[in-house]
Amino acid sequence: MLRPLLRAGLEVIPDAVPGSAIPHVLGYERERVFGFRLVEYEDLRFVERLNEAWYDLATSSGLIDENREFLLMLPRGTWTAREDRRRRTMHVWHRVRLLERWDVMGAGAATFLGIRAGHPGFAMLALDNSVWLLADTYETGAAVYAVRDPAGSPGVLRALEWEAEWLARKDEDREFRREVGVWLESRRQRRTAGADVAG
């Protein structure tokens, strides 16, 4: 997994994901989405423009910190991108650093960040939980967009609780269920502590 990501200009920093990182699920409210950038397939500089759109939004939204680091959703294991797509397992956050030379939408999308160059499908998270940055493909092109404060989204919280319950009923992905449970419990504790201080 590490070598393809290095070709994309992303260096994985092992065992460095903050415990406060919110697990990724869909469910955010539409009004939290901002900075939607679509690049159409017919653009002669399609991948280059898609890379520019990603970097512009990643820097303006606050995804990338002063050390050029952020969290990226990647497989738990170390298998290839093709094997990962076959397994369809739940992904987890990994801390990465953006190198000086990078190609997220070309070399990156051809491995773990999509299905092929110019056809991305990934989730990224700022280290402080302030923004998710997502990429996906559509009928006419590929796009990147940001979601503001996912940890404060009622829809995301409901989705996390539902996902944990659904996986528990099916007795699947115990590791992800544990991570969701730990995150929700720590959130409850922070809110309780905040209420005690305010009271």
Side-chain angles (χ1 to χ4, degrees):
M1 180 171 69
L2 300 181
R3 193 170 297 156
L5 289 171
L6 282 173
R7 284 197 296 272
L10 296 168
E11 176 189 5
V12 175
I13 304 168
D15 305 318
V17 175
S20 60
I22 181 171
H24 181 69
V25 292
L26 299 177
Y28 49 83
E29 295 76 20
R30 182 171 294 186
E31 59 269 20
R32 290 181 182 269
V33 175
F34 68 99
F36 185 89
R37 314 273 169 86
L38 175 73
V39 180
E40 297 192 347
Y41 297 128
E42 62 189 30
D43 191 314
L44 296 177
R45 296 171 52 219
F46 174 62
V47 172
E48 182 182 346
R49 289 250 167 84
L50 203 50
N51 267 327
E52 289 169 359
W54 171 79
Y55 187 74
D56 181 51
L57 189 55
T59 53
S60 66
S61 69
L63 172 77
I64 301 174
D65 76 356
E66 63 277 5
N67 297 316
R68 298 172 63 87
E69 294 177 10
F70 55 93
L71 301 180
L72 175 62
M73 190 66 64
L74 291 169
R76 288 185 196 280
T78 57
W79 45 80
T80 65
R82 179 175 295 182
E83 177 67 8
D84 176 57
R85 283 191 280 275
R86 188 187 69 75
R87 288 173 182 248
R88 298 184 180 194
T89 56
M90 191 65 71
H91 288 187
V92 294
W93 295 121
H94 292 257
R95 191 170 185 154
V96 297
R97 180 180 298 114
L98 185 68
L99 303 176
E100 289 301 320
R101 294 175 57 87
W102 53 268
D103 182 13
V104 169
M105 294 297 191
T111 59
F112 293 99
L113 308 187
I115 54 171
R116 64 179 183 273
H119 289 71
F122 59 73
M124 297 171 172
L125 174 67
L127 294 176
D128 64 359
N129 269 347
S130 61
V131 64
W132 273 335
L133 196 141
L134 308 168
D136 211 343
T137 55
Y138 299 89
E139 187 175 338
T140 60
V144 59
Y145 60 97
V147 176
R148 186 176 289 109
D149 185 26
S153 162
V156 167
L157 297 174
R158 281 193 302 272
L160 282 172
E161 290 167 349
W162 181 88
E163 191 82 29
E165 290 171 11
W166 183 77
L167 289 170
R169 283 198 303 272
K170 296 183 70 177
D171 195 27
E172 290 182 0
D173 210 329
R174 293 178 183 174
E175 187 65 21
F176 182 71
R177 279 168 27 211
R178 186 193 66 75
E179 289 164 5
V180 169
V182 167
W183 190 86
L184 289 170
E185 181 56 32
S186 69
R187 181 181 184 275
R188 278 191 279 275
Q189 289 175 1
R190 286 192 303 272
R191 289 174 67 88
T192 302
D196 291 345
V197 170

